[in-house]
Amino acid sequence: MIDFSHLISDKWVDCIDALYPSLKKEMQGTDGFVRRVKASSEPARKSEIQLEMDKFISLNDLSDLDDQIDELARAFLRINNKYSSVVYYDHLAKLDDGLLNAGKPTIAAVAEHLLSSEASPVAKDRLKSLVARVVNESLSQANKSNAGEAGENIARAILSAAGLMKDEHYREQYKSKSGSDTDFVFPCVPDQQDQKVELFMAVQMSSNDRTRLTSSELKIGGKPFVFTGNGLTASKKKLKDIGAQIVESQKSNKVNLICFRSEIEREKERLRSAAEEVRNANKRTELLDRLNYFEDYTWTISEFAEHVKKRFA
């Protein structure tokens, strides 16, 4: 039995600290309260995402593809934010839902106390803050998952615009003999047939130092590509956020980067201006080396679509 009276005593911090692990355990995880709330609206969210995909595919047009993809990414973000907002801002209204809190005694007790007319307003405020803290921590990982899904859907939209079909012209989640599964490979070949793969493509909606994680997806043999959403309106990251060591590694391994056209131009202009202004010779060399990568190894979305259309469609 939880003693909520401590929430209005000088031991309220100890009470919060004691409640936190139990509440976190019930809120998070594959069958946590947050996952249950999200799951209740997941069919509707996925339906809206698919509707946007269908609208995009119906255009069947490669002209101005970069800007079309930017608009599609914004649509995905709007949809994901709409459904995340229900959890962020309306979770208190769902705490006493018998289906959502089934088997979650701490959550049920918190919900009962929040509904009690006899409970102290101070105690309620502190409980609400605790619940919000745990919910926010839970949604951080969920939002990363949504971003990953958005990145893969954007890649599928690009390939569809190029006239390519899954399991005919390319494979998804290709399994190699070593390393991680690769998001997309071209052409469509059976698993563990790396020697037959001409193009490996890893996908990240937002890239910074995490870009190094793609190295296990890009195998020796096929031409390596990474699609990044950096610079799209829906992404919080820019190309400048990709660290120098990562860029150098990508360059030395001849990894091609697919990115939003306007962002590529912005980054190249930023590097040119910075190289002209800097006085330190080593720093200038570093900037020019980085510029060289973005000049020689980057593809706009439209350029990549045209390339795979000619080669694989």
Side-chain angles (χ1 to χ4, degrees), residues 23-34 134 137-138:
L23 193 61
K24 181 176 180 178
K25 182 179 179 180
E26 294 183 8
M27 282 280 185
Q28 300 179 5
T30 56
D31 190 39
F33 176 83
V34 171
V134 178
E137 291 172 353
S138 303

Side-chain angles (χ1 to χ4, degrees), residues 101-119:
N101 68 22
K104 313 287 184 186
T106 303
I107 294 176
V110 168
E112 183 179 356
H113 197 72
L114 290 175
L115 290 172
S116 173
S117 60
E118 299 177 1

